[in-house]
Every structure is written in structure tokens, then in C-alpha cells.
Amino acid sequence: GEDVEQSLFLSVREGDSSVINCTYTDSSSTYLYWYKQEPGAGLQLLTYIFSNMDMKQDQRLTVLLNKKDKHLSLRIADTQTGDSAIYFCADYNTDKLIFGTGTRLQVFP
Amino acid sequence: NAGVTQTPKFQVLKTGQSMTLQCAQDMNHEYMSWYRQDPGMGLRLIHYSVGAGITDQGEVPNGYNVSRSTTEDFPLRLLSAAPSQTSVYFCASSLAGYSYNEQFFGPGTRLTVL
């Protein structure tokens, strides 16, 4: 079946950029998503990218998609302490969202 | 709009007990789904529904039942709880599942099975 993989942890200094990476196996993905989960809460959609795009920018967020390598990344510019959370990559496939394991981002001063 | 609501927030069960996790949405969404979240495993799809009267299995359906008699409600039933079902359960809804639509998540139910 389809698989989505992420590294589990990322630690960055406040003000630096964060880059969270994701790889997926589904070659027929139409949409790929980034969700954010804050402690004790459900998931919230951060951004998404359509599979025929290479890049999408939304304020401090930049999503890069490399379809050939099936690699997706989320860059957060000027990372703040409020960005500390778990970030999930997800792949949309035929009525289902397949989530990665999540990357826990820790921002230190 | 209340969005997606889940009850209870916390629950402790003994092995073999049954219970129903409630999920409701007031956004007139056709698509609803249940996920479980376990450490290091992300979210895994249990069951989903593309509309009232229609349900289907996800990645990890064993031990869980669902029904969808109304658009608003999508309860998840554990018929005989097992310790392996200790997890955080999230319900989600969206306008439709067959194209891009943001999924809205409930706050979760933390279940412990002893």
C-alpha cells in the first residue's frame, strides 16, 4: 500500500529556517498536504500542493515538491516558538488521506 | 458553527468492555472518517464514510464498527475493548473525499484500555 515517511524530530533556533522533509510512494498522488498538530489538539491544515506544481509559497511557508523523487518539503522561515508542534505530511489517494508519522519541531530561544 | 465535536474527551475501559465514541459535525459535510494516533506511527485510518448510509474500511478496521445513519453523526463502536486499542482517536470531516477538500479534525478522544 501507499506509504508516507518523515523524520521524527527537528530542533531549530528561534529566527532560523526549519525544513521538514517527507517522502511518499504513491505515484498517482493528486494532492499533498501539510497539517500541524499543537499539544492536546486535533490537526489543522497548514497548506497543500497540487501534484502538477513544483512550489507553493504562503507567507512564511514554502512547499517544494519533487515528483520524480517523490519528495515533499515544508520550509518555515523565521521560525518562532509558536511554531513548535508536530507536522504531518499527508498524501491524498482515492478518498483516503495517508499520513506520515509526523515530525516534532522544537524551537529553542 | 461548532465544527467537529467528539465525546468523551477521555475514557478508561477494562478489557472486554464495549463503548461508542461519538462524532458530530454541523458543516453539512458528506465525508467523515476516524483515525487513531499512536506514538511514532502517525495517524492511521480506521473507517470512513462518503455519505449517509455508506461506510468503508480504512487501514486498521479490525475491532471497530461504524454506521452513518445521518449526515451529521459518525459514531465509532468498540465491541470488546483490548489494550491494543489504547490510543487517541480523531474524527474528521470534509465536503467530499474525491477531490481536494480540507479535512476538519475534532479535538480527539484519549482512550485507555486496561
Side-chain angles (χ1 to χ4, degrees), chain A residues 9-83:
Chain A
F9 299 102
L10 177 66
S11 184
V12 300
R13 189 180 300 276
E14 190 175 16
D16 287 351
S17 292
S18 309
V19 180
I20 302 171
N21 294 302
C22 169
T23 58
Y24 60 98
T25 58
D26 180 13
S27 58
S28 59
S29 296
T30 50
Y31 295 96
L32 293 143
Y33 303 82
W34 285 104
Y35 278 82
K36 177 182 180 182
Q37 184 183 33
E38 297 186 353
L43 278 68
Q44 284 188 302
L45 180 66
L46 268 184
T47 187
Y48 69 95
I49 188 166
F50 189 48
S51 59
N52 69 352
M53 298 167 66
D54 297 325
M55 185 181 88
K56 180 178 180 182
Q57 189 145 6
D58 185 0
Q59 299 183 333
R60 292 192 296 124
L61 305 178
T62 303
V63 179
L64 295 177
L65 175 61
N66 181 328
K67 282 192 70 176
K68 174 176 167 289
D69 295 337
K70 297 191 180 70
H71 182 268
L72 182 73
S73 67
L74 174 69
R75 178 177 180 270
I76 306 173
D78 186 25
T79 312
Q80 302 297 308
T81 54
D83 295 323

Side-chain angles (χ1 to χ4, degrees), chain B residues 2-73:
Chain B
V4 180
T5 57
Q6 291 183 240
T7 55
K9 288 192 174 178
F10 302 93
Q11 183 71 51
V12 178
L13 293 178
K14 293 181 180 177
T15 297
Q17 285 186 312
S18 62
M19 81 159 295
T20 299
L21 279 64
Q22 301 291 345
C23 174
Q25 52 88 13
D26 60 358
M27 298 174 281
N28 204 28
H29 285 172
E30 289 296 320
Y31 184 91
M32 296 185 75
S33 53
W34 276 102
Y35 295 87
R36 59 177 288 173
Q37 183 179 23
D38 301 293
M41 301 191 75
L43 274 76
R44 291 181 293 169
L45 182 65
I46 304 172
H47 285 286
Y48 66 100
S49 169
V50 299
I54 305 168
T55 63
D56 208 344
Q57 294 182 348
E59 188 183 355
V60 288
N62 292 342
Y64 307 95
N65 281 349
V66 292
S67 59
R68 184 94 180 271
S69 55
T70 67
T71 299
E72 294 77 20
D73 300 297

